[in-house]
Structures are given as C-alpha cells and as structure tokens.
Amino acid sequence: MVKRHESWRTRSLLSRFAHVVERTGLALAGGSCGLFVAAHIARSDFTLIGSGAAILGMMIYGASGFYLGIDLPPAPQKLRELSLRGLGSRADAVELLSAAGTFLTAVVAVTAVSSIILDEVARPRGAMAVFLGWALGASMQIAAGIIARTRTHIS
C-alpha cells in the first residue's frame, strides 16, 4: 500500500504506473458524468447545449474536476495543526469541499442518467438545475484540488 505522504520520487515504477492509471480512470469517470449531464440537457428545450464543442467542454471540465479533486495530496503538518474553531483543520475543510463536490456531481449525473434511461423529456428549468448542480460540484472539486496542491508549498 502506498502511503499518502510518500514522495513521487520514492515510489516504485509499478506504483507510479498504478497512480497514473487510477487518475486516468477518475478523469474518465468525471468526463462520463459531464457527458451524461450534457445528454440530459440536450434532450430538453433548454438551448445551452447546442454543439459538440459544448459537450466536449463539459466532458473536459468534469474530467478536470474528478482528476484534481478526488485524490488530494496530504496537507503539510503546519496546516493540519491549525483549527477552525474546533471543527477541524483547514486541510479538513478542503477535503470536505472535495467530497461535497464529488457527491453533488455524482448525484446530478445519476439524476441525468436515470432521466435518459427512463426516456423522460427534461424541462428547461429542470435541465438548468441539473446543469448548475453539476457545474457547482465540478467547480468545488477543481477548487479543492487547486487549494490542496498550492498548500503543499507552505512549510
């Protein structure tokens, strides 16, 4: 088992390969979520998704969210010791942001897939809610991933 605090340079070649495959799988899952949400929106009268480029953009944004936001690097010890009024550290808050974004994105994707499978026609307001929920969740993942990667330079 690879320890989260283990440096990339100290990992074996097999461990590095496994990490890249894992992250690629996460990115594909995020891209799939984006594709399902785009397909759901395209079936409605809501004209947000009108081109292949918009669908590809949603897939890339979703892939970025899952790639950056799910596998967060560990926080430096200094950040782990800082407390937010007894609720946990700032590092814990970033993990919560990532988890909430992942949960929201997945719930919205399941909603979109179930609508597609049940052959329901999405209404414009419902499609807008699905899109906004998905975009918010993916943005939360990306923000958490960026925060976690920039905080590793604090010592």
Side-chain angles (χ1 to χ4, degrees), residues 16-140:
R16 289 181 190 185
F17 179 73
H19 186 77
V20 169
V21 169
E22 175 188 36
R23 298 299 293 277
T24 302
L26 290 172
L28 288 170
S32 296
C33 287
L35 176 62
F36 292 138
V37 170
H40 172 75
I41 294 169
R43 293 172 46 106
S44 74
D45 293 332
F46 186 56
T47 58
L48 177 70
I49 305 295
S51 69
I55 293 171
L56 180 62
M58 287 183 69
M59 289 176 65
I60 290 171
Y61 197 73
S64 299
F66 272 60
Y67 183 86
L68 291 173
I70 291 181
D71 186 21
L72 300 176
Q77 183 64 31
K78 184 177 182 179
L79 277 180
R80 277 184 259 150
E81 294 170 355
L82 298 175
S83 178
L84 293 173
R85 298 183 185 156
L87 296 175
S89 70
R90 291 182 182 168
D92 294 335
V94 172
E95 287 184 31
L96 179 61
L97 181 65
S98 172
T102 300
F103 182 78
L104 182 59
T105 304
V107 166
V108 170
V110 166
T111 302
V113 169
S114 65
S115 174
I116 292 167
I117 290 173
L118 296 174
D119 201 26
E120 295 176 354
V121 177
R123 294 193 173 99
R125 284 188 180 187
M128 179 64 142
V130 164
F131 173 74
L132 291 175
W134 175 83
L136 177 63
S139 296
M140 290 166 66

